[in-house]
Amino acid sequence: MFARSVPRVWREREIKYRLIGGRCNSCGKVFYPYRRFCPRCGSEDIRKVELPRQGRVLYFTVIRTPPLGFEKYAPYVVAIVELADGARVIAQLTDVDLSAVKEGIEVEAVFRKYREQGEDGIIEYGIKFRPKA
């Protein structure tokens, strides 16, 4: 099983737990995940922004044969979610019946467990999306 270190999980906590992206001060592009260069214009004039927690599913797929370490979660849905500000996030959908997932459904961000690294390993948490009630 792929193991991650405690220091790496700790360093990534802000972006994973708070849905932090970037906004380019040169061209205005909003993107996720945060990076030091704008994916549109290449500018380094980037600031961290907390992204909206609401959006809609643009595209999705059902993972039935997952990668190593995620077998017990299958089947599950992974979607491209367009947030209210236009940023796009690739995320797992949760709290949803597979037959109810459709392009265009409104979703909201929630804090959930990603996976466990064995009985004595790290339990990873982060942002997933669920259909809005």
Side-chain angles (χ1 to χ4, degrees):
M1 176 185 264
F2 173 61
R4 293 176 58 130
S5 69
V6 171
R8 181 173 179 175
V9 170
W10 181 252
R11 283 191 310 270
E12 295 172 348
R13 76 192 183 287
E14 178 186 37
I15 291 170
K16 284 177 64 177
Y17 294 175
R18 293 185 48 218
L19 199 57
I20 301 295
R23 179 180 302 273
C24 178
N25 292 321
S26 296
C27 74
K29 170 93 173 147
V30 180
F31 50 88
Y32 180 87
Y34 174 81
R35 53 183 79 94
R36 293 182 288 177
F37 298 92
C38 175
R40 179 187 289 158
C41 72
S43 172
E44 294 182 49
D45 188 11
I46 306 298
R47 65 184 159 97
K48 288 182 180 177
V49 292
E50 190 161 353
L51 299 172
R53 300 179 73 80
Q54 292 81 36
R56 66 185 178 96
V57 171
L58 291 180
Y59 310 102
F60 71 93
T61 190
V62 177
I63 306 297
R64 298 184 190 282
T65 307
L68 186 63
F70 293 88
E71 299 89 350
K72 75 179 188 177
Y73 304 109
Y76 58 91
V77 180
V78 174
I80 296 177
V81 175
E82 184 175 58
L83 302 176
D85 65 358
R88 293 182 176 182
V89 176
I90 298 174
Q92 185 177 346
L93 298 187
T94 189
D95 305 335
V96 65
D97 183 304
L98 295 180
S99 64
V101 178
K102 300 193 180 353
E103 292 175 357
I105 63 171
E106 299 290 318
V107 293
E108 61 187 357
V110 292
F111 191 71
R112 293 287 192 270
K113 179 170 45 174
Y114 277 170
R115 67 179 175 153
E116 300 174 37
Q117 295 181 13
E119 289 183 26
D120 297 325
I122 298 170
I123 299 174
E124 293 184 57
Y125 292 88
I127 300 293
K128 294 184 181 184
F129 286 83
R130 70 175 177 202
K132 288 178 78 170

